[in-house]
């Protein structure tokens, strides 16, 4: 499978999401799309990142941008996480890793001295025509949502 490249159209995808929905890239034509990939629901860094996007969600919405969180957790796990944190955006369940592979975010990571396959925290900005405009890899949570918002506003 090929991976997405900056300046290129993102191939359409379709994944199960919170709210008993199936979402596709085509659903967001005419809007800017922020896809943020995170390792796991209900973990400290992923919770902080989601909260940061949540706290800025009105500003993203005013900038014609939709936020979607993506991890390998199940829709059921996502529903609990979304409700607990009050996220106003949907979370996509990529249990087959299809979107993770498309965006090349599955990496070998060290966890407690062991090598494990996991999602490298990454964010992607897709424009209204479905073209990848910006990417952030190896994201550090602090200040990240603000940086993404600035990029959305600059589009």
């Amino acid at each position: 499978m090929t991976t997405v490249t900056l300046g290129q159209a993102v191939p359409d995808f379709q994944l199960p999401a919170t709210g008993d929905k199936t979402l596709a890239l085509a659903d967001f034509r005419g809007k800017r799309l922020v896809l943020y990939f995170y390792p796991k629901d209900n973990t400290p860094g992923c919770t902080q990142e989601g909260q940061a996007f949540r706290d800025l969600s009105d500003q993203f919405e005013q900038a014609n941008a939709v936020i979607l969180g993506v991890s390998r957790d199940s829709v059921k796990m996502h529903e609990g996480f979304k409700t607990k944190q009050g996220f106003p955006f949907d979370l996509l369940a990529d249990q087959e890793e299809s979107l993770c592979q498309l965006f090349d975010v599955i990496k070998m990571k060290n966890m407690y001295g062991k090598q494990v396959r996991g999602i490298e925290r990454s964010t992607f900005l897709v424009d209204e025509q479905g073209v990848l405009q910006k990417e952030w890899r190896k994201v550090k949570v602090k200040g990240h949502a603000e940086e993404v918002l600035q990029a959305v506003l600059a589009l």
Side-chain angles (χ1 to χ4, degrees), residues 74-114:
S74 68
V75 170
K76 185 176 185 209
M77 284 272 299
H78 280 342
E79 291 289 1
F81 186 43
K82 179 181 174 177
T83 300
K84 184 177 176 185
Q85 298 303 327
F87 294 156
F89 47 82
D90 285 306
L91 302 176
L92 300 176
D94 191 15
Q95 293 184 284
E96 305 292 315
E97 299 180 0
S98 59
L99 201 57
C100 289
Q101 289 174 12
L102 181 65
F103 283 90
D104 191 29
V105 298
I106 299 289
K107 306 290 181 190
M108 292 306 291
K109 307 189 309 188
N110 285 317
M111 191 171 291
Y112 308 113
K114 290 193 170 113

Side-chain angles (χ1 to χ4, degrees), residues 31-147:
K31 292 198 173 284
R32 297 165 179 167
L33 179 61
V34 173
L35 280 172
Y36 81 93
F37 290 81
Y38 63 95
K40 188 145 185 60
D41 290 348
N42 297 303
T43 56
C46 300
T47 299
Q48 289 172 351
E49 185 178 25
Q51 289 170 339
F53 279 114
R54 175 198 67 201
D55 294 347
L56 294 172
S57 63
D58 287 347
Q59 292 174 2
F60 278 98
E61 195 175 314
Q62 288 168 5
N64 195 34
V66 174
I67 301 166
L68 292 176
V70 185
S71 83
R72 299 181 300 177
D73 293 306
S74 68
V75 170
K76 185 176 185 209
M77 284 272 299
H78 280 342
E79 291 289 1
F81 186 43
K82 179 181 174 177
T83 300
K84 184 177 176 185
Q85 298 303 327
F87 294 156
F89 47 82
D90 285 306
L91 302 176
L92 300 176
D94 191 15
Q95 293 184 284
E96 305 292 315
E97 299 180 0
S98 59
L99 201 57
C100 289
Q101 289 174 12
L102 181 65
F103 283 90
D104 191 29
V105 298
I106 299 289
K107 306 290 181 190
M108 292 306 291
K109 307 189 309 188
N110 285 317
M111 191 171 291
Y112 308 113
K114 290 193 170 113
Q115 285 278 311
V116 295
R117 277 179 83 250
I119 291 179
E120 178 181 81
R121 193 180 307 280
S122 307
T123 303
F124 301 88
L125 175 56
V126 180
D127 70 14
E128 294 90 339
Q129 289 76 42
V131 174
L132 180 61
Q133 293 296 334
K134 193 148 177 60
E135 62 182 17
W136 294 264
R137 295 184 182 273
K138 297 182 182 173
V139 165
K140 300 287 182 245
V141 172
K142 191 167 175 54
H144 177 63
E146 293 84 356
E147 187 181 337

